[in-house]
Each structure stands twice: as C-alpha cells, then as structure tokens.
Amino acid sequence: MSHHPASEQLLDLFNWASPGMLVTDANGAVVLANKAATELLRNDAAAGTVVATALGVPDYAALLTAGTPVENREATFANPDFASGYANLGFGQVDGRTYGFWALRPVTTHPTPSPAPAEGSSTAQAWIDQVNRSRESYVPVDAEAVPFLQAYYDNCPVAIHLIEEDGTVAYANWKDIAIVGASAQPDAYVGHHIRRIYADQDVVDDFLGRWGEDAPIIDFRADFLNGGKRVPVVIFSTAKVEDDKLKNTRCFVFPDSHPHLKRDRVTVLDLDF
C-alpha cells in the first residue's frame, strides 16, 4: 500500500485544511493555493503571483539554492484580521521540475475553543470561520493536482497525520514521524492510537471528543512526546465528517515558534486563556 493517503483524502486535505497550503514553481510563482491560503493572502494567492515577496520572504532564491527545509519563518499576510504568522517551506520535484511547498499558519489571539468571534476578530474561531465560509472564487483542486499533493506531503516541513474514528493514526508524513521520534520504525507510530504521543492525556481526551463533533483545534499549543521528552508544538486540526461520522482528521502540527509559552487549556467551558 502507498504511504500516501488516498487521492480523495489528499484532495480533501489540501482543499479544506486549516493552514494555508501553497505550491510554487522554481521562480516562486503560485501553482496551487488552498482555500485557507486564499483567505490569508487574498489576491496574492492568485496563480502566477510571486508569493515570497508578498509574504515578506525576500531570499526565496537563496532558500531554493540551499534546498533545505525552512521552519517558522516570520511572514506577513494580506488578511487584515490575520496579518502575521509563520511560513514553513520545503522543496521537491514533480516530473523532474523543482517546486516549493509552503505551509502558512496565522497567529491568533485565542486558540480554539474560544469565544464566538465579533466582527474583525482575530481568534482561532474567527480564522476557521473564514476558512469554512463559502467563496465562489475558490475552485477546489481536482485529480490533476494529486502528484503535487503527494510531493507536498513528502517535502513540506509540517507534520501531517490523518486520524481515524477510533483514534488510530492512519497516515503520517515524514515530518510527523520524525517529530515523535519514530523515523527508524514508523510502524511503531502509524497504525497505533494517537494517545501515546501526547504528553498530557487530558489534552488528547478532549481532542478525541471534539473531533467526533467536527470541532476544530486551531493555533493550539500542546506537547508531543519524543523519547519521553516533551516537544512543544502548535496544532491546526479539523475533521472530515460525513453522516455524523468522523471519516478522518486533517491534522497539521508545527514546531512551536515560542516553545516556552504556557500550554493551552483544553476544557471547552474554560475560556480563560
């Protein structure tokens, strides 16, 4: 079986993920942008736009030459409610051509769960509401994009895992496997319950309940475990739910740019962050 999620899962993951996802060509021009990227970047996410300049990353050419993954690079966004955040960037090839694979996360004032957002709010709930709102101008990518999405999964330095209804890790990319220390033996992680990688069990218990209710987990600081040591991370996760049943999660995990900040609270009724 392929180590990639199924094509249908990759298309769902890309189109409706909570972080911005971009594929750019060797010149830094946008080839593909998901719904979240169009919300963050507005017109700067249009095909052909040299997005590195818009993000405030002027050394794209040098990064491309180096070819090494870039994590937690400060970035600017056109969205007035979410004007700042971080970019992760990796490089890889599709059909012999080099592309850049970007994961963008906005900074929010409160993680989910958070109070219902007011107009112009910058909470995590306001962010996911923007991602989920209907916008006729966004056309979901189709099967032609799958080779790019497989390359994204293989090269973008953001941890990606898909969790099934019972909490089993169905798929995890190289970065996710590395962040929990399972690179030498991926099967010790993939195919097992997600519970074992969280340092705080009340966090994962809360997450499991919210995934089943299609409740998002956005800009949430938690700790994973790697060899018994805590690894501070920032989680952006939503769920694909059909007929009131969880099909799989869309989980993106970023190394925390501010690892010494207090870890977030998890109880839905406790909004005192």
Side-chain angles (χ1 to χ4, degrees), residues 195-248:
R195 181 183 301 281
R196 64 175 63 187
I197 70 165
Y198 277 88
D200 301 299
Q201 291 303 298
D202 58 341
V203 171
V204 70
D205 287 340
D206 181 79
F207 284 3
L208 289 169
R210 283 199 266 149
W211 281 322
E213 298 174 359
D214 196 16
I217 301 159
I218 305 297
D219 202 23
F220 193 99
R221 284 184 155 83
D223 285 341
F224 278 4
L225 288 174
N226 182 328
K229 295 182 179 180
R230 287 177 176 260
V231 180
V233 298
V234 180
I235 298 170
F236 278 68
S237 177
T238 56
K240 180 181 181 182
V241 176
E242 294 180 356
D243 299 324
D244 297 323
K245 182 178 180 180
L246 174 68
K247 301 294 288 186
N248 59 256

Tab-separated table of all heavy atoms in Angstrom, residues 195-248:
chain	number	residue	atom	x	y	z
A	195	ARG	N	-3.047	8.501	21.210
A	195	ARG	CA	-2.874	8.824	22.631
A	195	ARG	C	-1.413	8.777	23.074
A	195	ARG	O	-0.967	9.593	23.877
A	195	ARG	CB	-3.707	7.847	23.464
A	195	ARG	CG	-3.643	8.079	24.949
A	195	ARG	CD	-4.434	7.023	25.712
A	195	ARG	NE	-5.829	7.024	25.309
A	195	ARG	CZ	-6.728	7.900	25.737
A	195	ARG	NH1	-6.350	8.860	26.570
A	195	ARG	NH2	-7.979	7.820	25.327
A	196	ARG	N	-0.666	7.827	22.537
A	196	ARG	CA	0.678	7.579	23.065
A	196	ARG	C	1.665	8.709	22.783
A	196	ARG	O	2.728	8.763	23.416
A	196	ARG	CB	1.229	6.262	22.519
A	196	ARG	CG	1.440	6.247	21.018
A	196	ARG	CD	2.101	4.956	20.567
A	196	ARG	NE	1.272	3.789	20.842
A	196	ARG	CZ	1.681	2.538	20.665
A	196	ARG	NH1	2.901	2.293	20.235
A	196	ARG	NH2	0.871	1.537	20.916
A	197	ILE	N	1.350	9.621	21.847
A	197	ILE	CA	2.335	10.668	21.539
A	197	ILE	C	2.069	11.968	22.288
A	197	ILE	O	2.881	12.896	22.213
A	197	ILE	CB	2.403	10.963	20.028
A	197	ILE	CG1	1.139	11.673	19.541
A	197	ILE	CG2	2.687	9.689	19.254
A	197	ILE	CD1	1.292	12.311	18.176
A	198	TYR	N	0.969	12.070	23.022
A	198	TYR	CA	0.666	13.294	23.759
A	198	TYR	C	1.202	13.208	25.182
A	198	TYR	O	0.996	12.211	25.880
A	198	TYR	CB	-0.841	13.547	23.804
A	198	TYR	CG	-1.369	14.224	22.561
A	198	TYR	CD1	-1.783	13.484	21.461
A	198	TYR	CD2	-1.434	15.615	22.473
A	198	TYR	CE1	-2.260	14.101	20.313
A	198	TYR	CE2	-1.916	16.240	21.324
A	198	TYR	CZ	-2.324	15.476	20.263
A	198	TYR	OH	-2.788	16.089	19.126
A	199	ALA	N	1.865	14.273	25.614
A	199	ALA	CA	2.407	14.296	26.961
A	199	ALA	C	1.308	14.401	28.011
A	199	ALA	O	1.463	13.887	29.119
A	199	ALA	CB	3.382	15.464	27.111
A	200	ASP	N	0.218	15.073	27.680
A	200	ASP	CA	-0.863	15.309	28.640
A	200	ASP	C	-2.123	14.601	28.151
A	200	ASP	O	-2.706	14.982	27.134
A	200	ASP	CB	-1.115	16.808	28.792
A	200	ASP	CG	0.134	17.537	29.276
A	200	ASP	OD1	0.598	17.221	30.386
A	200	ASP	OD2	0.642	18.401	28.536
A	201	GLN	N	-2.563	13.593	28.887
A	201	GLN	CA	-3.666	12.765	28.424
A	201	GLN	C	-5.006	13.494	28.420
A	201	GLN	O	-5.885	13.166	27.629
A	201	GLN	CB	-3.751	11.495	29.271
A	201	GLN	CG	-2.587	10.540	29.031
A	201	GLN	CD	-2.480	10.129	27.558
A	201	GLN	OE1	-3.386	9.517	27.014
A	201	GLN	NE2	-1.370	10.476	26.899
A	202	ASP	N	-5.168	14.502	29.289
A	202	ASP	CA	-6.427	15.247	29.248
A	202	ASP	C	-6.561	16.018	27.942
A	202	ASP	O	-7.671	16.243	27.443
A	202	ASP	CB	-6.563	16.179	30.448
A	202	ASP	CG	-5.419	17.187	30.561
A	202	ASP	OD1	-4.354	16.948	29.957
A	202	ASP	OD2	-5.592	18.195	31.265
A	203	VAL	N	-5.438	16.392	27.339
A	203	VAL	CA	-5.474	17.080	26.050
A	203	VAL	C	-6.011	16.152	24.971
A	203	VAL	O	-6.933	16.497	24.225
A	203	VAL	CB	-4.069	17.601	25.666
A	203	VAL	CG1	-4.062	18.110	24.234
A	203	VAL	CG2	-3.631	18.710	26.610
A	204	VAL	N	-5.450	14.961	24.873
A	204	VAL	CA	-5.891	14.048	23.806
A	204	VAL	C	-7.313	13.565	24.054
A	204	VAL	O	-8.089	13.379	23.110
A	204	VAL	CB	-4.906	12.873	23.634
A	204	VAL	CG1	-4.942	11.913	24.794
A	204	VAL	CG2	-5.187	12.132	22.327
A	205	ASP	N	-7.714	13.388	25.310
A	205	ASP	CA	-9.098	13.006	25.598
A	205	ASP	C	-10.057	14.080	25.103
A	205	ASP	O	-11.099	13.787	24.507
A	205	ASP	CB	-9.295	12.797	27.099
A	205	ASP	CG	-8.650	11.504	27.594
A	205	ASP	OD1	-8.396	10.621	26.752
A	205	ASP	OD2	-8.399	11.393	28.810
A	206	ASP	N	-9.701	15.333	25.337
A	206	ASP	CA	-10.535	16.440	24.854
A	206	ASP	C	-10.577	16.467	23.334
A	206	ASP	O	-11.632	16.645	22.729
A	206	ASP	CB	-9.986	17.757	25.402
A	206	ASP	CG	-10.803	18.957	24.979
A	206	ASP	OD1	-11.870	19.195	25.582
A	206	ASP	OD2	-10.402	19.635	24.014
A	207	PHE	N	-9.417	16.275	22.718
A	207	PHE	CA	-9.352	16.302	21.257
A	207	PHE	C	-10.203	15.192	20.649
A	207	PHE	O	-10.916	15.415	19.670
A	207	PHE	CB	-7.905	16.142	20.794
A	207	PHE	CG	-7.054	17.371	20.958
A	207	PHE	CD1	-7.553	18.524	21.538
A	207	PHE	CD2	-5.739	17.377	20.523
A	207	PHE	CE1	-6.765	19.650	21.690
A	207	PHE	CE2	-4.942	18.493	20.665
A	207	PHE	CZ	-5.452	19.631	21.258
A	208	LEU	N	-10.133	14.002	21.200
A	208	LEU	CA	-10.901	12.892	20.650
A	208	LEU	C	-12.391	13.197	20.690
A	208	LEU	O	-13.124	12.879	19.750
A	208	LEU	CB	-10.594	11.610	21.432
A	208	LEU	CG	-9.202	11.015	21.216
A	208	LEU	CD1	-8.937	9.918	22.238
A	208	LEU	CD2	-9.058	10.467	19.805
A	209	GLY	N	-12.851	13.828	21.745
A	209	GLY	CA	-14.255	14.201	21.833
A	209	GLY	C	-14.643	15.267	20.834
A	209	GLY	O	-15.716	15.211	20.223
A	210	ARG	N	-13.759	16.226	20.608
A	210	ARG	CA	-14.095	17.320	19.699
A	210	ARG	C	-14.003	16.892	18.235
A	210	ARG	O	-14.751	17.397	17.399
A	210	ARG	CB	-13.191	18.523	19.970
A	210	ARG	CG	-13.629	19.276	21.217
A	210	ARG	CD	-13.073	20.681	21.240
A	210	ARG	NE	-11.823	20.685	21.989
A	210	ARG	CZ	-10.827	21.517	21.732
A	210	ARG	NH1	-10.913	22.353	20.726
A	210	ARG	NH2	-9.736	21.507	22.467
A	211	TRP	N	-13.088	15.984	17.918
A	211	TRP	CA	-13.030	15.513	16.538
A	211	TRP	C	-14.351	14.855	16.142
A	211	TRP	O	-14.857	15.037	15.037
A	211	TRP	CB	-11.884	14.517	16.362
A	211	TRP	CG	-10.552	15.166	16.227
A	211	TRP	CD1	-10.259	16.327	15.567
A	211	TRP	CD2	-9.308	14.694	16.765
A	211	TRP	NE1	-8.916	16.611	15.671
A	211	TRP	CE2	-8.306	15.639	16.389
A	211	TRP	CE3	-8.942	13.580	17.512
A	211	TRP	CZ2	-6.970	15.474	16.756
A	211	TRP	CZ3	-7.616	13.426	17.864
A	211	TRP	CH2	-6.646	14.357	17.494
A	212	GLY	N	-14.924	14.068	17.055
A	212	GLY	CA	-16.181	13.408	16.758
A	212	GLY	C	-17.330	14.375	16.561
A	212	GLY	O	-18.337	14.037	15.935
A	213	GLU	N	-17.193	15.584	17.079
A	213	GLU	CA	-18.226	16.605	16.926
A	213	GLU	C	-17.883	17.597	15.817
A	213	GLU	O	-18.531	18.629	15.673
A	213	GLU	CB	-18.396	17.361	18.243
A	213	GLU	CG	-18.855	16.479	19.398
A	213	GLU	CD	-18.868	17.213	20.723
A	213	GLU	OE1	-18.506	18.411	20.735
A	213	GLU	OE2	-19.229	16.593	21.734
A	214	ASP	N	-16.848	17.305	15.043
A	214	ASP	CA	-16.402	18.180	13.973
A	214	ASP	C	-16.002	19.551	14.504
A	214	ASP	O	-16.241	20.582	13.869
A	214	ASP	CB	-17.497	18.331	12.901
A	214	ASP	CG	-16.944	18.918	11.600
A	214	ASP	OD1	-15.710	18.913	11.435
A	214	ASP	OD2	-17.742	19.386	10.766
A	215	ALA	N	-15.419	19.564	15.707
A	215	ALA	CA	-14.983	20.824	16.320
A	215	ALA	C	-13.499	21.042	16.030
A	215	ALA	O	-12.694	20.129	16.218
A	215	ALA	CB	-15.223	20.788	17.824
A	216	PRO	N	-13.119	22.229	15.562
A	216	PRO	CA	-11.725	22.460	15.171
A	216	PRO	C	-10.799	22.661	16.362
A	216	PRO	O	-11.225	23.047	17.450
A	216	PRO	CB	-11.826	23.744	14.346
A	216	PRO	CG	-12.996	24.474	14.937
A	216	PRO	CD	-13.971	23.400	15.323
A	217	ILE	N	-9.536	22.386	16.134
A	217	ILE	CA	-8.463	22.637	17.103
A	217	ILE	C	-7.457	23.518	16.371
A	217	ILE	O	-6.714	23.032	15.509
A	217	ILE	CB	-7.821	21.320	17.567
A	217	ILE	CG1	-8.871	20.404	18.208
A	217	ILE	CG2	-6.680	21.593	18.542
A	217	ILE	CD1	-8.466	18.956	18.232
A	218	ILE	N	-7.461	24.804	16.656
A	218	ILE	CA	-6.724	25.769	15.843
A	218	ILE	C	-5.779	26.600	16.703
A	218	ILE	O	-6.190	27.136	17.743
A	218	ILE	CB	-7.701	26.720	15.100
A	218	ILE	CG1	-8.715	25.926	14.271
A	218	ILE	CG2	-6.929	27.722	14.232
A	218	ILE	CD1	-8.115	25.096	13.163
A	219	ASP	N	-4.516	26.703	16.263
A	219	ASP	CA	-3.490	27.506	16.933
A	219	ASP	C	-3.358	27.104	18.401
A	219	ASP	O	-3.234	27.953	19.280
A	219	ASP	CB	-3.819	28.995	16.796
A	219	ASP	CG	-2.590	29.886	16.970
A	219	ASP	OD1	-1.466	29.396	16.755
A	219	ASP	OD2	-2.750	31.074	17.314
A	220	PHE	N	-3.370	25.808	18.642
A	220	PHE	CA	-3.404	25.251	19.994
A	220	PHE	C	-2.027	24.723	20.363
A	220	PHE	O	-1.460	23.889	19.655
A	220	PHE	CB	-4.443	24.121	20.050
A	220	PHE	CG	-4.786	23.680	21.440
A	220	PHE	CD1	-5.920	24.149	22.067
A	220	PHE	CD2	-3.966	22.783	22.121
A	220	PHE	CE1	-6.241	23.734	23.355
A	220	PHE	CE2	-4.277	22.371	23.398
A	220	PHE	CZ	-5.415	22.841	24.025
A	221	ARG	N	-1.506	25.193	21.496
A	221	ARG	CA	-0.185	24.770	21.962
A	221	ARG	C	-0.321	23.537	22.850
A	221	ARG	O	-1.060	23.540	23.836
A	221	ARG	CB	0.500	25.901	22.715
A	221	ARG	CG	1.031	26.975	21.785
A	221	ARG	CD	1.809	28.057	22.512
A	221	ARG	NE	2.734	28.678	21.586
A	221	ARG	CZ	2.411	29.653	20.730
A	221	ARG	NH1	1.167	30.112	20.706
A	221	ARG	NH2	3.312	30.148	19.907
A	222	ALA	N	0.411	22.490	22.490
A	222	ALA	CA	0.420	21.247	23.256
A	222	ALA	C	1.840	20.696	23.246
A	222	ALA	O	2.753	21.296	22.658
A	222	ALA	CB	-0.575	20.246	22.664
A	223	ASP	N	2.028	19.556	23.892
A	223	ASP	CA	3.328	18.886	23.901
A	223	ASP	C	3.177	17.465	23.382
A	223	ASP	O	2.335	16.702	23.871
A	223	ASP	CB	3.907	18.822	25.316
A	223	ASP	CG	4.460	20.153	25.794
A	223	ASP	OD1	4.729	21.026	24.949
A	223	ASP	OD2	4.621	20.317	27.026
A	224	PHE	N	3.994	17.106	22.384
A	224	PHE	CA	4.138	15.719	21.976
A	224	PHE	C	5.258	15.089	22.800
A	224	PHE	O	5.982	15.777	23.535
A	224	PHE	CB	4.480	15.634	20.493
A	224	PHE	CG	3.297	15.745	19.564
A	224	PHE	CD1	2.029	15.983	20.042
A	224	PHE	CD2	3.474	15.610	18.199
A	224	PHE	CE1	0.947	16.079	19.186
A	224	PHE	CE2	2.398	15.699	17.331
A	224	PHE	CZ	1.136	15.927	17.818
A	225	LEU	N	5.396	13.788	22.653
A	225	LEU	CA	6.484	13.067	23.305
A	225	LEU	C	7.416	12.472	22.265
A	225	LEU	O	6.974	11.885	21.282
A	225	LEU	CB	5.935	11.945	24.189
A	225	LEU	CG	5.242	12.365	25.492
A	225	LEU	CD1	4.620	11.151	26.164
A	225	LEU	CD2	6.223	13.052	26.428
A	226	ASN	N	8.708	12.641	22.485
A	226	ASN	CA	9.739	12.045	21.640
A	226	ASN	C	10.789	11.459	22.569
A	226	ASN	O	11.527	12.195	23.220
A	226	ASN	CB	10.355	13.101	20.721
A	226	ASN	CG	11.400	12.527	19.775
A	226	ASN	OD1	12.095	11.574	20.096
A	226	ASN	ND2	11.522	13.129	18.607
A	227	GLY	N	10.812	10.143	22.666
A	227	GLY	CA	11.755	9.501	23.584
A	227	GLY	C	11.549	9.907	25.023
A	227	GLY	O	12.517	9.979	25.792
A	228	GLY	N	10.303	10.168	25.384
A	228	GLY	CA	9.988	10.564	26.750
A	228	GLY	C	10.156	12.044	27.034
A	228	GLY	O	9.816	12.507	28.125
A	229	LYS	N	10.669	12.793	26.075
A	229	LYS	CA	10.862	14.232	26.253
A	229	LYS	C	9.730	15.008	25.584
A	229	LYS	O	9.243	14.622	24.531
A	229	LYS	CB	12.208	14.658	25.659
A	229	LYS	CG	13.409	14.055	26.364
A	229	LYS	CD	14.716	14.559	25.763
A	229	LYS	CE	15.914	13.973	26.497
A	229	LYS	NZ	17.205	14.449	25.915
A	230	ARG	N	9.343	16.102	26.198
A	230	ARG	CA	8.286	16.947	25.663
A	230	ARG	C	8.779	17.743	24.457
A	230	ARG	O	9.883	18.298	24.485
A	230	ARG	CB	7.777	17.916	26.725
A	230	ARG	CG	6.926	17.250	27.810
A	230	ARG	CD	6.505	18.243	28.884
A	230	ARG	NE	5.611	17.625	29.854
A	230	ARG	CZ	4.287	17.761	29.861
A	230	ARG	NH1	3.707	18.540	28.943
A	230	ARG	NH2	3.546	17.158	30.767
A	231	VAL	N	7.949	17.786	23.424
A	231	VAL	CA	8.236	18.565	22.223
A	231	VAL	C	7.101	19.568	22.044
A	231	VAL	O	5.975	19.185	21.727
A	231	VAL	CB	8.335	17.665	20.973
A	231	VAL	CG1	8.631	18.504	19.740
A	231	VAL	CG2	9.388	16.588	21.163
A	232	PRO	N	7.355	20.869	22.266
A	232	PRO	CA	6.283	21.869	22.142
A	232	PRO	C	5.858	22.032	20.686
A	232	PRO	O	6.693	22.210	19.797
A	232	PRO	CB	6.931	23.148	22.673
A	232	PRO	CG	8.129	22.708	23.448
A	232	PRO	CD	8.611	21.473	22.760
A	233	VAL	N	4.550	21.962	20.452
A	233	VAL	CA	4.010	22.041	19.104
A	233	VAL	C	2.797	22.971	19.083
A	233	VAL	O	2.221	23.292	20.122
A	233	VAL	CB	3.605	20.649	18.568
A	233	VAL	CG1	4.816	19.728	18.471
A	233	VAL	CG2	2.514	20.024	19.422
A	234	VAL	N	2.435	23.387	17.862
A	234	VAL	CA	1.220	24.169	17.627
A	234	VAL	C	0.362	23.372	16.647
A	234	VAL	O	0.823	23.002	15.566
A	234	VAL	CB	1.541	25.560	17.055
A	234	VAL	CG1	0.248	26.350	16.815
A	234	VAL	CG2	2.459	26.330	18.000
A	235	ILE	N	-0.893	23.124	17.024
A	235	ILE	CA	-1.768	22.228	16.271
A	235	ILE	C	-2.835	23.010	15.519
A	235	ILE	O	-3.474	23.911	16.082
A	235	ILE	CB	-2.436	21.211	17.221
A	235	ILE	CG1	-1.365	20.351	17.899
A	235	ILE	CG2	-3.442	20.336	16.473
A	235	ILE	CD1	-1.901	19.487	19.022
A	236	PHE	N	-3.019	22.662	14.243
A	236	PHE	CA	-4.124	23.142	13.413
A	236	PHE	C	-4.836	21.896	12.890
A	236	PHE	O	-4.297	21.185	12.044
A	236	PHE	CB	-3.614	23.980	12.241
A	236	PHE	CG	-3.301	25.411	12.574
A	236	PHE	CD1	-2.233	25.732	13.400
A	236	PHE	CD2	-4.075	26.440	12.057
A	236	PHE	CE1	-1.940	27.049	13.708
A	236	PHE	CE2	-3.797	27.762	12.348
A	236	PHE	CZ	-2.733	28.082	13.182
A	237	SER	N	-6.029	21.622	13.408
A	237	SER	CA	-6.694	20.371	13.060
A	237	SER	C	-8.183	20.584	12.842
A	237	SER	O	-8.842	21.284	13.611
A	237	SER	CB	-6.488	19.346	14.183
A	237	SER	OG	-7.183	18.150	13.907
A	238	THR	N	-8.688	19.969	11.791
A	238	THR	CA	-10.125	19.901	11.546
A	238	THR	C	-10.476	18.459	11.213
A	238	THR	O	-9.591	17.607	11.062
A	238	THR	CB	-10.553	20.831	10.394
A	238	THR	OG1	-9.785	20.504	9.221
A	238	THR	CG2	-10.341	22.296	10.749
A	239	ALA	N	-11.771	18.190	11.084
A	239	ALA	CA	-12.213	16.826	10.857
A	239	ALA	C	-13.110	16.754	9.635
A	239	ALA	O	-13.904	17.657	9.373
A	239	ALA	CB	-12.970	16.301	12.078
A	240	LYS	N	-12.966	15.666	8.892
A	240	LYS	CA	-13.897	15.374	7.810
A	240	LYS	C	-14.981	14.466	8.376
A	240	LYS	O	-14.709	13.339	8.793
A	240	LYS	CB	-13.179	14.679	6.649
A	240	LYS	CG	-14.111	14.360	5.485
A	240	LYS	CD	-13.388	13.646	4.357
A	240	LYS	CE	-14.335	13.361	3.195
A	240	LYS	NZ	-13.678	12.633	2.093
A	241	VAL	N	-16.196	14.991	8.403
A	241	VAL	CA	-17.324	14.259	8.981
A	241	VAL	C	-18.384	14.077	7.911
A	241	VAL	O	-18.767	15.034	7.236
A	241	VAL	CB	-17.901	15.003	10.198
A	241	VAL	CG1	-19.136	14.288	10.730
A	241	VAL	CG2	-16.847	15.131	11.295
A	242	GLU	N	-18.859	12.858	7.741
A	242	GLU	CA	-19.933	12.548	6.798
A	242	GLU	C	-21.000	11.743	7.516
A	242	GLU	O	-20.691	10.763	8.197
A	242	GLU	CB	-19.394	11.754	5.599
A	242	GLU	CG	-18.432	12.539	4.723
A	242	GLU	CD	-17.918	11.719	3.542
A	242	GLU	OE1	-18.276	10.521	3.470
A	242	GLU	OE2	-17.172	12.268	2.723
A	243	ASP	N	-22.264	12.188	7.386
A	243	ASP	CA	-23.392	11.498	8.028
A	243	ASP	C	-23.147	11.349	9.526
A	243	ASP	O	-23.371	10.282	10.124
A	243	ASP	CB	-23.629	10.124	7.393
A	243	ASP	CG	-23.963	10.217	5.910
A	243	ASP	OD1	-24.655	11.182	5.524
A	243	ASP	OD2	-23.519	9.343	5.143
A	244	ASP	N	-22.652	12.451	10.134
A	244	ASP	CA	-22.402	12.487	11.580
A	244	ASP	C	-21.351	11.478	12.027
A	244	ASP	O	-21.292	11.100	13.206
A	244	ASP	CB	-23.698	12.262	12.365
A	244	ASP	CG	-24.724	13.359	12.126
A	244	ASP	OD1	-24.313	14.528	11.998
A	244	ASP	OD2	-25.928	13.043	12.053
A	245	LYS	N	-20.498	11.053	11.110
A	245	LYS	CA	-19.453	10.100	11.458
A	245	LYS	C	-18.099	10.625	10.996
A	245	LYS	O	-17.954	11.078	9.861
A	245	LYS	CB	-19.734	8.743	10.800
A	245	LYS	CG	-18.711	7.667	11.161
A	245	LYS	CD	-19.066	6.337	10.521
A	245	LYS	CE	-18.047	5.271	10.883
A	245	LYS	NZ	-18.367	3.950	10.269
A	246	LEU	N	-17.135	10.569	11.898
A	246	LEU	CA	-15.782	11.012	11.568
A	246	LEU	C	-15.157	10.076	10.541
A	246	LEU	O	-15.081	8.862	10.760
A	246	LEU	CB	-14.908	11.034	12.828
A	246	LEU	CG	-13.420	11.354	12.619
A	246	LEU	CD1	-13.236	12.801	12.176
A	246	LEU	CD2	-12.625	11.086	13.884
A	247	LYS	N	-14.735	10.641	9.410
A	247	LYS	CA	-14.005	9.859	8.409
A	247	LYS	C	-12.515	9.868	8.717
A	247	LYS	O	-11.865	8.829	8.747
A	247	LYS	CB	-14.265	10.439	7.014
A	247	LYS	CG	-15.724	10.463	6.613
A	247	LYS	CD	-16.297	9.062	6.453
A	247	LYS	CE	-15.764	8.391	5.193
A	247	LYS	NZ	-16.417	7.082	4.963
A	248	ASN	N	-11.984	11.045	8.919
A	248	ASN	CA	-10.596	11.198	9.350
A	248	ASN	C	-10.361	12.661	9.714
A	248	ASN	O	-11.122	13.541	9.303
A	248	ASN	CB	-9.604	10.747	8.271
A	248	ASN	CG	-9.721	11.497	6.968
A	248	ASN	OD1	-10.267	10.966	5.997
A	248	ASN	ND2	-9.230	12.734	6.906
